[in-house]
Amino acid sequence: MAKTVFFDAHASKSAALVLFNKEQVLGTNRLNILTSIGRATERSTCDIKINAPIVSRSHGEIAFIDGEYYYRDLNSTNGTYINNVLIGKNSPVNQQVKQLQDGDILCFDIRQNGKSRPDCVYALFTTFGNTNCKWSSLALESDIVEVCIGRSGQSALQINSDVISEKHASFFFTSNGWAIIDHQSTNGVYLNGKRMSAPRYLEAFDVVRIADTYLIFTGDRLLFSNGIANFEEQPVQSQPSLAVAETPVRSTVNPGQPKTDGQLIINITERSVMQRFRKMLLLQDINLSVSNGEMVLILGGSGAGKTTFINAVMGYEKASGKILYKDTDIYAEYEQMKYEIGFVPQQDLLRGSDTVYDTLSNAAEMKLPRKISYEDREHRIDIVLDQLGLSREKETLVSKLSGGQRKRLSIAVEFIANPSLFFLDEPDSGLDDIMGRSLMENLRTIADQGKIVMVITHSPERASDLFDKVIVLAKSTKDNCGHLAFYGSVSEAFKFFEVSSFREIVKKINRPDENGEGLSDFFIDKYAVYSKE
């Protein structure tokens, strides 16, 4: 039977599928214009044959069209997981086809209660590096707390390349599991296809790319391609170190001086992704400006795109449009502007075995200019400790801090570099009203120094008097996309929505099946008229 070609394919760019399991890489397969995948049998005619009983005889195929690769599940018995989302006839979202991005992980598996079979097979989609490279593995034993990667001969995993910094990145163990940090390397670290701007916790089968070297974290092991030298001859550090070996050149900043001029101008035409060969809009027509010294609440209904919005504004996930700060285009000048941006995610990345001072000292060494003196750096640390109420905890282990203190330390780590733009995703989650209010008061103090502070929180009522402005995002039923439903002061927002609390605003724009009133379209249209008056 002839193969079914479902694309009008063009000449292929270099790409490969790397098959592996939890212990080792099984092989690397270069992709053609159309590449079929199936179970290894005597009569199999598939291009990629997988020796696993859970793989169907004709399981899926990868095709190249208009410069991109797409995977289609061929009604296989068990389907295919791509980045943990099931594709195939049993897909909960009825998806058969997905565009592949560099670093995507395909999994041929049958999952029960979210757990994979021990014999499942994974595949890494890659468009970088040598598709004929060999792979090795490193077991992450319990006595290893850090694995340093870099050009230096002292690195546990050494990469002999001019595009690699002396100390480029580290995998390190925390009380919450393994994490990775970029030591302000010149050319960056990519996690699951996106360049890292802050340390990140790792989940099983996360993919890290450093130049053209891949490292796959399987949970208790690193699989890596052969850009790395013989790691067995290199000592693995028994104590973590986050010192900076090489830092990009950046402008000198007086770490104690607030900035008071300029505006953040946000003009997002759209933020979209491709799904099943169709463009799916996430955000559309977000136009507003924020002045220095303002603390802004980002409020929104379910699925309205609050996190997508801040990722787009920070430049972490670019949208169509322009984001300007002090007349500088954040997208066009991202390498320069990223030092002006601080971001505190919901989950912290703090090492429990470090003291509060050690944590801030490491952050200062990484984030402050190299030319700053030791005395000025220590002065900056003392200022931040005092401002965030952590001076008395200076020598306390992170593992001994309360929840509120850990949150404030996470903020301190980002604030140490004196960023002009400060974004926080649910910084008060898990805190009681008193501690949550106290944290928001800390953020108010930061804004009063001439910073722009933008906050997503699910408990805004306890700090409603601290916000200067509120952004309300709502998901339209017309295009299933997030739109701006209001931007202005808190009192203006209550008047606009004819309510007296943020909770009531969210109820107005949420769908009826989410205990809402389903008025998102009404207020999107109302604000479109209101903003022109």
Side-chain angles (χ1 to χ4, degrees):
M1 181 179 294
K3 291 181 180 177
T4 302
V5 179
F6 63 104
F7 293 120
D8 229 354
H10 300 285
S12 169
K13 61 183 179 182
S14 176
L17 207 61
V18 180
L19 299 179
F20 62 96
N21 57 27
K22 294 181 179 180
E23 300 295 326
Q24 61 184 338
V25 168
L26 305 173
T28 301
N29 303 269
R30 186 181 296 275
L31 297 178
N32 302 314
I33 292 176
L34 182 67
T35 304
S36 57
I37 302 169
R39 187 166 74 243
T41 64
E42 291 182 359
R43 298 182 179 181
S44 175
T45 59
C46 292
D47 300 305
I48 298 178
K49 302 175 181 64
I50 301 175
N51 186 17
I54 54 178
V55 176
S56 297
R57 288 184 176 86
S58 182
H59 198 103
E61 57 188 4
I62 297 175
F64 184 82
I65 181 172
D66 292 337
E68 301 296 341
Y69 282 90
Y70 296 84
Y71 177 86
R72 182 173 75 157
D73 186 273
L74 298 175
N75 289 318
S76 66
T77 302
N78 300 312
T80 310
Y81 289 89
I82 301 181
N83 300 331
N84 291 317
V85 176
L86 182 61
I87 305 297
K89 63 184 180 182
N90 297 320
S91 167
V93 293
N94 194 30
Q95 186 174 359
Q96 300 283 335
V97 179
K98 188 178 187 307
Q99 182 179 344
L100 295 176
Q101 305 291 337
D102 187 77
D104 280 352
I105 293 289
L106 289 74
C107 180
F108 306 95
D109 190 13
I110 305 172
R111 296 185 180 177
Q112 295 180 344
N113 299 322
K115 295 184 177 180
S116 296
R117 285 171 52 121
D119 60 347
C120 64
V121 176
Y122 298 84
L124 164 68
F125 173 76
T126 168
T127 59
F128 284 88
N130 178 7
T131 56
N132 295 319
C133 68
K134 296 180 181 179
W135 288 72
S136 302
S137 69
L138 171 65
L140 299 173
E141 305 290 352
S142 58
D143 59 339
I144 297 176
V145 294
E146 183 179 24
V147 179
C148 184
I149 303 167
R151 195 171 70 241
S152 168
Q154 300 302 312
S155 299
L157 298 181
Q158 182 186 5
I159 305 177
N160 296 320
S161 172
D162 291 338
V163 299
I164 302 299
S165 299
E166 287 290 314
K167 187 174 183 182
H168 199 104
S170 286
F171 292 89
F172 63 94
F173 189 73
T174 75
S175 58
N176 293 320
W178 283 90
I180 183 172
I181 185 170
D182 179 358
H183 293 303
Q184 295 291 299
S185 62
T186 303
N187 294 306
V189 177
Y190 291 80
L191 177 62
N192 298 328
K194 297 177 182 177
R195 183 163 181 168
M196 290 175 49
S197 58
R200 291 285 184 268
Y201 279 118
L202 292 170
E203 297 182 1
F205 302 105
D206 277 347
V207 177
V208 174
R209 180 172 63 81
I210 298 175
D212 61 355
T213 296
Y214 282 93
L215 301 102
I216 303 171
F217 174 73
T218 67
D220 58 5
R221 183 176 295 272
L222 287 177
L223 309 178
F224 50 87
S225 53
N226 67 352
I228 294 178
N230 183 1
F231 70 91
E232 294 180 349
E233 297 179 359
Q234 305 297 336
V236 176
Q237 295 184 26
S238 60
Q239 293 297 325
S241 171
L242 296 182
V244 177
E246 185 173 285
T247 306
V249 177
R250 53 175 292 194
S251 60
T252 301
V253 179
N254 182 341
Q257 172 143 2
K259 305 175 181 68
T260 55
D261 58 337
Q263 280 190 324
L264 175 65
I265 300 174
I266 301 170
N267 293 314
I268 297 176
T269 306
E270 67 176 45
R271 170 75 177 99
S272 61
V273 295
M274 292 296 296
Q275 189 175 72
R276 300 180 67 187
F277 307 116
R278 294 183 180 180
K279 183 168 72 173
M280 184 175 75
L281 292 174
L282 304 178
L283 290 174
Q284 193 170 32
D285 299 331
I286 312 291
N287 299 295
L288 55 94
S289 62
V290 184
S291 298
N292 277 346
E294 289 186 332
M295 181 168 165
V296 180
L297 168 66
I298 302 172
L299 195 67
S302 178
K306 299 182 290 296
T307 300
T308 299
F309 172 73
I310 62 171
N311 285 342
V313 174
M314 290 189 298
Y316 186 61
E317 294 178 346
K318 293 182 180 179
S320 298
K322 278 195 173 183
I323 312 296
L324 304 176
Y325 181 65
K326 296 182 181 179
D327 299 323
T328 300
D329 189 325
I330 289 179
Y331 289 174
E333 304 294 336
Y334 182 74
E335 288 304 308
Q336 168 194 343
M337 290 302 299
K338 68 182 181 181
Y339 298 108
E340 298 281 350
I341 299 170
F343 173 57
V344 180
Q346 184 175 351
Q347 287 187 320
D348 69 59
L349 276 168
L350 304 174
R351 299 194 297 190
S353 58
D354 287 349
T355 65
V356 168
Y357 170 79
D358 290 336
T359 301
L360 271 192
S361 181
N362 286 333
E365 192 172 359
M366 288 187 290
K367 296 174 181 291
L368 290 178
R370 295 179 65 183
K371 294 181 180 180
I372 192 171
S373 68
Y374 172 81
E375 291 76 15
D376 286 343
R377 187 169 68 227
E378 292 298 297
H379 180 60
R380 176 62 180 166
I381 291 172
D382 288 339
I383 288 175
V384 173
L385 285 170
D386 181 64
Q387 184 170 338
L388 289 165
L390 292 169
S391 295
R392 289 188 301 177
E393 312 300 332
K394 186 174 182 178
E395 299 303 327
T396 303
L397 290 175
V398 171
S399 61
K400 301 299 182 181
L401 296 178
S402 68
Q405 290 168 337
R406 285 184 71 108
K407 295 283 186 179
R408 280 183 275 147
L409 181 56
S410 293
I411 293 172
V413 166
E414 288 298 310
F415 190 55
I416 195 73
N418 200 36
S420 300
L421 308 174
F422 215 42
F423 300 87
L424 303 100
D425 192 350
E426 299 187 43
D428 56 343
S429 64
L431 301 183
D432 60 31
D433 284 345
I434 294 176
M435 294 304 300
R437 169 74 186 190
S438 175
L439 186 75
M440 289 297 181
E441 288 174 347
N442 290 141
L443 298 179
R444 178 69 261 177
T445 302
I446 290 173
D448 290 340
Q449 295 181 19
K451 314 294 183 184
I452 290 176
V453 178
M454 303 184 76
V455 184
I456 296 174
T457 174
H458 290 304
S459 304
E461 310 293 355
R462 58 194 179 190
S464 60
D465 59 309
L466 301 179
F467 294 105
D468 298 294
K469 300 281 183 65
V470 55
I471 296 169
V472 181
L473 299 175
K475 192 171 187 177
S476 172
T477 61
K478 299 175 183 178
D479 57 13
N480 204 35
C481 172
H483 292 259
L484 189 60
F486 181 79
Y487 176 59
S489 69
V490 173
S491 60
E492 289 170 340
F494 290 160
K495 182 178 179 180
F496 180 84
F497 287 96
E498 299 179 347
V499 297
S500 58
S501 70
F502 293 125
R503 186 181 297 105
E504 292 173 288
I505 292 177
V506 175
K507 186 171 183 179
K508 289 277 188 183
I509 58 181
N510 265 0
R511 300 195 311 256
D513 60 355
E514 296 172 332
N515 198 31
E517 298 178 17
L519 298 175
S520 59
D521 291 330
F522 171 79
F523 285 107
I524 291 169
D525 294 340
K526 180 180 177 180
Y527 181 72
V529 175
Y530 174 88
S531 61
K532 295 177 182 178
E533 294 178 352

